[in-house]
Amino acid sequence: MWEEVQQTVSYIKERIDLTPEYGVILGSGLGSFTEEMNVEFVLPYSEIPNFPVSTVQGHKGALVFGTIGDKKVVAMQGRFHYYEGYSMKEVTFPVRVLKFLGINKLIVSNASGGVNPAYRVGDIMLIKDHINFAPEHPLRGINDERFGPRFVNMSEPYSRKMIAKAKDLADTLNIELKEGVYLGLQGPTFETLAEYKMVKILGADCVGMSTVPEVIVARHMDLETFGVSVITDMGDEDSIETISHDEVLEAAQLAEPKVRTLIKELILKY
Ligand code: HPA
């Protein structure tokens, strides 16, 4: 894995003359964030050696390099999910590449199903913690100390300083935020009513199919990490029949301008 990461990083560095400080992973329906960037280089995943290729509708597949103000950013337009058939090591390979391209902060976004009864479709939730309910762990197997330690401290998976800054900014921008716990399942099925209930009882506020492995690997490499989730459907009895991927994308797109602004401001001001 170390060699593959270095090979991919060398390939990218030969083509791209920009050392990013921030990495941003754009989830379902949030891909237009790159419009906030002064884009300098775009590398389709299909051209990057060792990169998986994203197979999900609503997820483009490219690394986008550019600036926001004086901050240098690389955005992943499209991510990889376990349900697509990749191993967790494949799902998280790009995060390792971003680290060795130079980033020290990672911002992740996703769409999720809300189980907190105070939530509504279209809400934006800062992820303050997560519960890993995925069937495979990205750090399982021999640990390569060059990436990070065998046993990773997960007491602050999401940077409290970044969360505090985002809340300040949201106040000024008049963006209403929730703050809660994200539980990661493998998908690709949406949850049954009994499963949404389980998620709630386990102590989470929302549930989704991504993010957790990426954040684990980011923390393995000591990246400061920030996560934001758009509630695209509610796992309650009244609305459960209506959930489809198209509706998830539609709801995510409605919240997109606010999420875009928040992430942009955080990058500018943090
Ligand atoms: N469940 C799991 N993943 C999701 C959901 C959901 O309800 N909505 C968006 N992604």
Side-chain angles (χ1 to χ4, degrees):
M1 163 109 90
W2 177 265
E3 283 72 26
E4 277 109 319
V5 170
Q6 303 312 322
Q7 185 189 40
T8 303
V9 168
S10 303
Y11 174 92
I12 296 172
K13 281 188 170 167
E14 274 164 28
R15 282 154 187 84
I16 275 131
D17 179 25
L18 182 151
T19 302
E21 174 192 356
Y22 278 89
V24 187
I25 304 183
L26 303 168
S28 296
L30 299 168
S32 83
F33 172 77
T34 53
E35 288 166 27
E36 304 285 352
M37 298 169 57
N38 298 310
V39 174
E40 293 183 21
F41 307 95
V42 179
L43 268 186
Y45 293 159
S46 56
E47 290 175 15
I48 306 177
N50 306 319
F51 246 58
V53 178
S54 141
T55 66
V56 193
Q57 177 212 343
H59 286 267
K60 297 177 194 165
L63 281 187
V64 181
F65 294 81
T67 54
I68 293 182
D70 61 349
K71 302 291 178 75
K72 298 194 168 86
V73 179
V74 54
M76 279 183 65
Q77 212 166 32
R79 60 147 59 87
F80 304 100
H81 305 81
Y82 184 75
Y83 63 72
E84 293 176 78
Y86 304 115
S87 70
M88 284 303 193
K89 287 196 168 45
E90 290 169 320
V91 164
T92 55
F93 180 80
V95 179
R96 302 229 182 257
V97 170
L98 296 195
K99 157 87 182 183
F100 288 92
L101 286 173
I103 71 163
N104 51 35
K105 289 176 272 296
L106 179 71
I107 297 177
V108 292
S109 67
N110 63 48
S112 69
V115 297
N116 181 327
Y119 287 8
R120 296 289 171 267
V121 169
D123 278 355
I124 300 168
M125 188 194 94
L126 300 191
I127 308 178
K128 69 171 181 206
D129 207 345
H130 72 223
I131 297 175
N132 181 14
F133 244 64
E136 191 192 312
H137 200 289
L139 303 183
R140 179 171 173 265
I142 293 169
N143 184 59
D144 190 331
E145 295 280 334
R146 290 171 289 187
F147 288 119
R150 166 78 293 182
F151 299 105
V152 180
N153 186 301
M154 291 298 279
S155 60
E156 192 183 339
Y158 302 87
S159 162
R160 284 197 270 271
K161 270 166 66 185
M162 289 179 91
I163 291 173
K165 187 69 186 178
K167 283 171 143 170
D168 275 0
L169 292 167
D171 271 354
T172 322
L173 295 161
N174 253 321
I175 296 174
E176 198 199 316
L177 294 178
K178 301 279 196 283
E179 193 178 341
V181 174
Y182 174 95
L183 185 144
L185 287 174
Q186 67 166 304
T189 41
F190 291 113
E191 290 64 40
T192 64
L193 272 180
E195 288 162 348
Y196 281 121
K197 191 171 169 189
M198 170 194 78
V199 169
K200 188 176 161 189
I201 291 170
L202 286 172
D205 299 284
C206 68
V207 55
M209 310 173 192
S210 67
T211 302
V212 169
E214 298 156 355
V215 171
I216 288 172
V217 165
R219 294 303 298 141
H220 185 226
M221 301 181 299
D222 207 25
L223 294 176
E224 189 173 4
T225 306
F226 175 83
V228 58
S229 188
V230 175
I231 308 298
T232 55
D233 48 273
M234 287 297 297
D236 60 46
E237 271 143 298
D238 299 331
S239 56
I240 186 148
E241 289 153 84
T242 66
I243 304 173
S244 70
H245 185 56
D246 285 340
E247 268 142 353
V248 165
L249 290 181
E250 215 180 288
Q253 270 152 14
L254 284 178
E256 187 169 22
K258 284 190 266 180
V259 179
R260 260 170 70 165
T261 306
L262 184 67
I263 296 177
K264 179 186 77 177
E265 289 296 315
L266 185 63
I267 291 175
L268 278 171
K269 310 251 164 72
Y270 183 71

